């Protein structure tokens, strides 16, 4: 009795769905399976960001390094000396030609000298768009500038901090 009841339930379910119990269908258009294989991204530092030598005064000011050109501009109570040439940071990247890469800078909030004094980092802009297309020779380049705020009578010393530059395929 249980065998007949079980078979009856299966047959009834097939009738309700309108499909025969042993139906098998194939797609009319063959589906594809695919995957894009990319070269690993690399990112190499070519040069560091350097604000150069600066002289403070009784007035606050700021210093800017252009991300595209490396040109330095000072504002307010800061005087730039020519003893050390300022420069933007530069990076070279490599990956699969034609692919897009998103580049990002994770800037420090301050630069610090050995005595523990700090200079605020206001921004670390990049040259151009954060989305780069890798060239046919499998390379891309990135310039990073910066803007720092110098306090009135800022203590002297060599101020520095590390920062991160990240790149990821899009």
């Amino acid at each position: 009795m249980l065998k007949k009841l079980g078979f009856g339930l299966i047959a009834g379910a097939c009738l309700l769905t309108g499909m025969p119990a042993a139906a098998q269908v194939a797609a009319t258009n063959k589906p594809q399976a695919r995957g894009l294989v990319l070269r690993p991204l690399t990112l190499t530092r070519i040069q560091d960001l350097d604000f150069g030598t600066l002289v403070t005064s009784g007035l606050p000011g700021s210093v800017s390094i252009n991300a595209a050109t490396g040109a330095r501009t000072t504002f307010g109570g800061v005087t730039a000396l020519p003893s050390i040439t300022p420069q933007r940071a530069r990076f070279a990247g490599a990956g699969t030609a034609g692919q897009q890469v998103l580049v990002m800078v994770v800037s420090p909030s301050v630069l610090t000298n050995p005595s523990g004094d700090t200079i605020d980092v206001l921004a670390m802009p990049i040259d151009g768009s954060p989305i780069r297309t890798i060239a046919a020779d499998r390379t891309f380049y990135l310039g990073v500038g910066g803007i720092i705020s110098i306090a009135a009578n800022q203590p002297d010393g060599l101020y520095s901090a590390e920062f991160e530059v990240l790149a990821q395929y899009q």
Side-chain angles (χ1 to χ4, degrees):
M1 179 73 172
L2 286 176
K3 283 185 176 179
K4 287 183 182 181
L5 181 60
F7 177 73
L9 288 175
I10 293 172
C14 289
L15 287 174
L16 288 176
T17 61
M19 286 181 27
Q24 179 178 352
V25 239
T28 54
N29 295 330
K30 298 284 184 183
Q32 294 181 359
R34 64 183 201 184
L36 176 62
V37 177
L38 301 174
R39 292 179 179 271
L41 279 174
T42 62
L43 193 60
T44 304
R45 180 186 74 215
I46 298 172
Q47 69 184 29
D48 291 324
L49 173 62
D50 194 333
F51 290 93
T53 303
L54 309 164
V55 178
T56 65
S57 71
L59 298 172
S62 62
V63 181
S64 173
I65 300 293
N66 184 293
T69 66
R72 174 176 60 186
T73 307
T74 61
F75 303 94
V78 178
T79 303
L81 296 181
S83 58
I84 294 179
T85 303
Q87 64 186 23
R88 65 188 172 148
R90 295 209 53 229
F91 298 85
T96 299
Q99 294 301 306
Q100 290 191 327
V101 175
L102 171 66
V103 292
M104 299 164 282
V105 175
V106 181
S107 68
S109 57
V110 296
L111 305 179
T112 307
N113 72 9
S115 299
D117 301 307
T118 61
I119 292 175
D120 290 335
V121 176
L122 303 179
M124 291 187 75
I126 62 171
D127 63 342
S129 170
I131 303 289
R132 308 290 167 112
T133 300
I134 299 174
D137 67 356
R138 293 188 235 141
T139 62
F140 65 96
Y141 295 91
L142 174 68
V144 178
I147 304 169
I148 56 174
S149 176
I150 307 291
N153 301 311
Q154 181 77 42
D156 62 348
L158 178 60
Y159 290 78
S160 64
E162 293 181 346
F163 64 96
E164 283 187 287
V165 178
L166 308 170
Q168 69 181 37
Y169 280 117
Q170 288 298 288

